[in-house]
Amino acid sequence: MLLSAEHISKNYGMKQLLQDVSLYLNEGDRVGIIGINGTGKSTLLKILAGAESSDEGTLATNPNVQLSYLAQNPEIHDDYTVLEQVFAGFPQDFRELNEYEAKSMLTRLGILNFDAKMKTLSGGQRKRVSLATTLIHPSDILVLDEPTNHLDSEMVTWLENHLSRFNGGLIMVTHDRYFLERVVNRIVELSHSNLYSYEANYSKYLELKAERAEMAAASERKRQAVLRKEYQWIMRGAKARSTKSRARIDRYEALKNQTTEETDETIQLSNLSTRLGKKIIELENISKAFGDKTVIKNFSYLIAREDRIGIVGKNGVGKSTLLNLITEKVLPDKGTVEIGSTVKFGYFSQEGRDMDPGQRVYDFIAEISNEIQTPEGTFSASQMLERFLFTPDLQYSQIGRLSGGERRRLYLLSILMSAPNILLLDEPTNDLDIETLAILEDYLEFFSGPVLAVSHDRYFLDKVADMIFEVNQGGEILKYPGNYTDYYEKSKAEQKAADTQKKEAASPKQVSKNLPQKLKFSFNEQREYDRIDEEIATVEAKVASCEEEIRGAASDYVLLQTLTEQKRELEADLEQKTERWVYLNELAEKIENQGK
């Protein structure tokens, strides 16, 4: 056992987050903690990591066990460089031994300038540096709070593979359902201050949870049936009761007072939108550059009412810029954006909306609209807040007292309260709990206008999108019909075909089976045959020399990258020449033997 937390309780003001819960972690355990935002998932991680104390209970770890913790809002030293931040608190000899690995990890996470000051980085970049800091730490236990936030799909895949090779114990909060499916072997659900453990990945957890809910419902039906029967007996009168067993009366009272398991409420979304005319949005040859970097290049598209578009690409390529161009928050350098007169945007941005932490939750929503028309009728601001799991007490709390996920949910409600008829969603899955995401996905399925969503959440894109736009480094936008899985398979097939074509172009064509009766070298083939052995020996010598230089440049990362790339090119050249050598020698042998 690596860690044990027993009988943990934690209270914040009037809110009981944890009530006498216990959790144990063994070597090889990969635990995913899930639950509705605001239930205390991050608080539980802080307690397990030793970053916060509990009101009651004990936390114990083996004294030789090392723990590394990624907080939801990690501590950042603004004046540190990236590498100084990664190795903050480590001795110099640790940095010397691990700097190459750290740089490699940062590069995988899209951080290329290791000398940049932390204060110059975006929020997403800062979180990725913190992730590298956590992973570089030698540890037996990893405690990770939302590690996939601000990662693109390639980075998430890399992190999946990295954690799959980790031999210690892992505890994490994440809302990435494919990540939960592929990485964890135990799901722990936090609900109403209690923990419910499932020895399962995400899909198996859904199955087991449904079984538990069904059993709880059956148990409650049985309890109610017994109660009705016993109630009839109790109500027969004092004379009847006096002749009956006191134990039966006590059993009735116990059944009546028995508490049933609380279940999580679910968010209810009605289709809120205003009328949308025939003309929606037309993009005509739009381009946008920032300095010498082109992020969108000659892109045209006519947005239709039924569109469900997922937008993918590496971090920083221009996905958010595309949404800003559509809404005219940013103007194109060339091209035109024409917006229909009836279009009413609902733009859910990464940054969110400025919220006054001192403002009450109810007042924030009421400022947007006091009531909203839905297919189910008219709902007041207070009723809509209740549908979004903001209880009356919480509605009159200050926004500053909400958790990060609760603020994100409040921001989502503020978008929908304006009754938009086109939705633009920029990383909507960040900080939203799985329950909210599932309801949002169902809502989008019946939304009557177009939806464009920038997201790294593969599960979300598989549920929502029927077309994928891939924004690449040069500003080109490629269109793929289907959801994310369709796009992924198609793009991989295209990449494989391109690699094969490139290899075939660089390699000699196979000798035809229908060779002419008289084989002979062409003039160029004869000259190549005479020189090929010497050329191969020269390239082999260069590879050996490059390998020697790499061994001597272990501490110079820039030179190491250059030499590694040079070695890769030399090995590709050597492989090509070796294939050519085989072809020429086979041909020479056939020429020699054809007269025999």
Side-chain angles (χ1 to χ4, degrees):
M1 185 178 294
L2 299 175
L3 177 149
S4 68
E6 297 185 316
H7 307 295
I8 301 296
S9 295
K10 185 69 177 181
N11 181 280
Y12 271 111
M14 300 296 291
K15 190 172 185 179
Q16 188 72 37
L17 293 180
L18 303 168
Q19 181 64 53
D20 193 28
V21 302
S22 297
L23 188 146
Y24 305 95
L25 184 74
N26 296 315
E27 190 172 328
D29 282 352
R30 288 172 165 75
V31 180
I33 298 178
I34 64 174
I36 291 174
N37 287 333
T39 54
K41 300 186 299 295
S42 292
T43 299
L44 176 59
L45 286 196
K46 289 176 186 176
I47 293 171
L48 296 176
E52 189 170 314
S53 60
S54 60
D55 297 335
E56 297 176 14
T58 59
L59 176 70
T61 58
N62 186 307
N64 297 318
V65 163
Q66 297 229 30
L67 184 146
S68 190
Y69 171 49
L70 174 69
Q72 192 173 56
N73 298 300
E75 183 180 344
I76 299 292
H77 301 276
D78 283 345
D79 292 326
Y80 280 15
T81 66
V82 167
L83 279 180
E84 287 172 342
Q85 177 69 40
V86 169
F87 290 107
F90 290 104
Q92 182 61 30
D93 58 345
F94 178 83
R95 174 169 175 169
E96 290 171 359
L97 287 170
N98 293 277
E99 187 166 316
Y100 175 75
E101 184 182 353
K103 288 177 176 177
S104 176
M105 195 176 289
L106 287 164
T107 300
R108 286 281 196 173
L109 294 171
I111 307 296
L112 305 178
N113 184 357
F114 310 129
D115 296 319
K117 294 288 187 181
M118 291 299 296
K119 62 186 175 185
T120 66
L121 303 186
S122 68
Q125 289 171 323
R126 289 155 72 100
K127 184 69 181 276
R128 297 201 296 276
V129 172
S130 297
L131 176 59
T133 304
T134 304
L135 297 179
I136 203 70
H137 189 292
S139 56
D140 305 289
I141 301 173
L142 282 174
V143 180
L144 309 176
D145 198 345
E146 293 292 358
T148 62
N149 275 5
H150 308 291
L151 302 187
D152 62 33
S153 299
E154 286 187 14
M155 295 175 189
V156 172
T157 301
W158 171 81
L159 183 59
E160 281 179 2
N161 294 332
H162 183 88
L163 294 179
S164 296
R165 294 191 299 269
F166 179 64
N167 293 322
L170 169 67
I171 305 174
M172 65 177 175
V173 169
T174 181
H175 303 139
D176 188 317
R177 287 155 289 182
Y178 279 155
F179 203 77
L180 288 169
E181 179 73 10
R182 294 165 184 170
V183 174
V184 311
N185 53 25
R186 178 150 57 106
I187 298 281
V188 173
E189 183 178 10
L190 176 55
S191 174
H192 297 285
S193 308
N194 295 312
L195 292 181
Y196 301 92
S197 185
Y198 302 83
E199 298 292 330
N201 60 4
Y202 182 69
S203 58
K204 185 65 176 175
Y205 148 76
L206 291 176
E207 180 183 332
L208 293 174
K209 183 181 179 181
E211 288 177 5
R212 180 168 73 86
E214 188 175 330
M215 288 172 63
S219 177
E220 176 61 13
R221 285 195 299 270
K222 182 178 179 181
R223 187 178 78 94
Q224 292 295 337
V226 173
L227 269 176
R228 282 193 297 271
K229 181 179 178 181
E230 294 299 291
Y231 176 74
Q232 291 170 358
W233 177 83
I234 288 288
M235 294 305 291
R236 286 176 188 167
K239 184 178 179 180
R241 286 202 304 274
S242 66
T243 61
K244 300 296 180 182
S245 169
R246 180 67 200 175
R248 186 168 180 180
I249 297 173
D250 291 341
R251 187 165 62 248
Y252 167 75
E253 293 296 333
L255 274 172
K256 186 174 70 171
N257 296 326
Q258 181 180 321
T259 57
T260 58
E261 181 183 317
E262 290 186 87
T263 57
D264 290 321
E265 296 179 73
T266 58
I267 295 173
Q268 302 176 46
L269 294 182
S270 297
N271 203 324
L272 319 175
S273 63
T274 51
R275 188 187 70 83
L276 183 63
K278 289 184 179 180
K279 182 176 180 180
I280 303 177
I281 299 171
E282 183 175 359
L283 311 175
E284 183 68 32
N285 289 322
I286 60 170
S287 295
K288 184 64 184 179
F290 295 99
D292 58 356
K293 182 181 179 181
T294 299
V295 291
I296 303 294
K297 182 179 179 182
N298 296 330
F299 179 63
S300 297
Y301 190 76
L302 182 64
I303 295 176
R305 184 186 298 272
E306 298 81 15
D307 276 345
R308 295 290 185 274
I309 299 169
I311 303 171
V312 301
K314 294 181 181 292
N315 287 329
V317 294
K319 304 185 296 295
S320 297
T321 300
L322 177 60
L323 296 189
N324 287 330
L325 286 166
I326 291 172
T327 56
E328 297 187 314
K329 289 177 179 288
V330 172
L331 297 179
D333 296 332
K334 68 173 186 176
T336 58
V337 178
E338 293 187 16
I339 300 174
S341 59
T342 60
V343 166
K344 187 174 183 180
F345 289 110
Y347 190 2
F348 187 87
S349 70
Q350 281 194 64
E351 297 77 19
R353 180 174 177 157
D354 287 335
M355 297 183 185
D356 178 2
Q359 188 178 26
R360 295 187 308 176
V361 170
Y362 172 82
D363 295 335
F364 174 73
I365 292 298
E367 280 182 1
I368 299 167
S369 178
N370 279 315
E371 62 180 28
I372 192 75
Q373 299 290 331
T374 81
E376 301 166 13
T378 302
F379 288 90
S380 67
S382 180
Q383 288 172 316
M384 287 301 296
L385 280 163
E386 285 199 49
R387 291 165 78 94
F388 267 66
L389 307 187
F390 291 100
T391 62
D393 288 344
L394 206 53
Q395 291 180 30
Y396 289 92
S397 295
Q398 293 180 331
I399 291 174
R401 301 188 65 180
L402 301 180
S403 70
E406 286 172 324
R407 292 188 206 187
R408 196 77 168 156
R409 193 194 310 150
L410 182 63
Y411 174 47
L412 175 61
L413 174 59
S414 73
I415 298 296
L416 301 180
M417 284 293 287
S418 64
N421 51 30
I422 175 171
L423 283 173
L424 305 181
L425 310 174
D426 197 352
E427 296 293 1
T429 64
N430 283 356
D431 299 318
L432 287 182
D433 57 71
I434 291 173
E435 186 72 43
T436 305
L437 288 175
I439 302 298
L440 176 60
E441 287 158 0
D442 290 341
Y443 171 81
L444 294 178
E445 184 178 351
F446 297 102
F447 183 70
S448 58
V451 177
L452 289 83
V454 172
S455 182
H456 67 271
D457 189 319
R458 300 155 294 177
Y459 192 102
F460 177 80
L461 291 176
D462 272 347
K463 287 288 291 289
V464 171
D466 56 22
M467 178 177 286
I468 299 292
F469 286 175
E470 181 189 23
V471 186
N472 63 28
Q473 294 285 359
E476 184 182 11
I477 299 179
L478 306 176
K479 306 181 188 76
Y480 294 85
N483 61 16
Y484 180 84
T485 298
D486 297 327
Y487 148 76
Y488 182 79
E489 292 174 353
K490 181 75 181 299
S491 61
K492 287 301 178 186
E494 288 178 354
Q495 184 63 49
K496 185 177 180 180
D499 291 343
T500 301
Q501 188 176 5
K502 184 177 179 182
K503 187 174 180 180
E504 288 176 350
S507 302
K509 294 181 179 179
Q510 297 295 319
V511 179
S512 172
K513 293 180 180 179
N514 300 318
L515 290 171
Q517 288 294 325
K518 191 71 174 174
L519 288 174
K520 64 177 181 178
F521 278 132
S522 68
F523 175 79
N524 287 333
E525 284 175 333
Q526 183 65 57
R527 186 169 62 175
E528 188 179 4
Y529 177 67
D530 294 338
R531 296 177 178 178
I532 192 76
D533 289 317
E534 182 181 345
E535 290 177 356
I536 287 176
T538 301
V539 177
E540 287 175 337
K542 288 181 179 179
V543 170
S545 174
C546 192
E547 288 175 343
E548 186 66 30
E549 288 185 71
I550 287 173
R551 283 192 287 272
S555 60
D556 188 337
Y557 181 75
V558 176
L559 177 59
L560 194 62
Q561 288 282 79
T562 303
L563 290 172
T564 302
E565 182 61 32
Q566 183 180 334
K567 182 188 173 203
R568 190 179 297 114
E569 291 174 359
L570 286 169
E571 288 175 337
D573 186 29
L574 180 61
E575 182 182 357
Q576 179 184 340
K577 289 185 182 301
T578 302
E579 289 179 358
R580 190 64 176 164
W581 181 91
V582 171
Y583 165 74
L584 291 170
N585 277 272
E586 286 180 350
L587 182 56
E589 186 177 347
K590 289 177 181 177
I591 291 172
E592 184 180 347
N593 292 333
Q594 67 181 341
K596 294 181 180 180

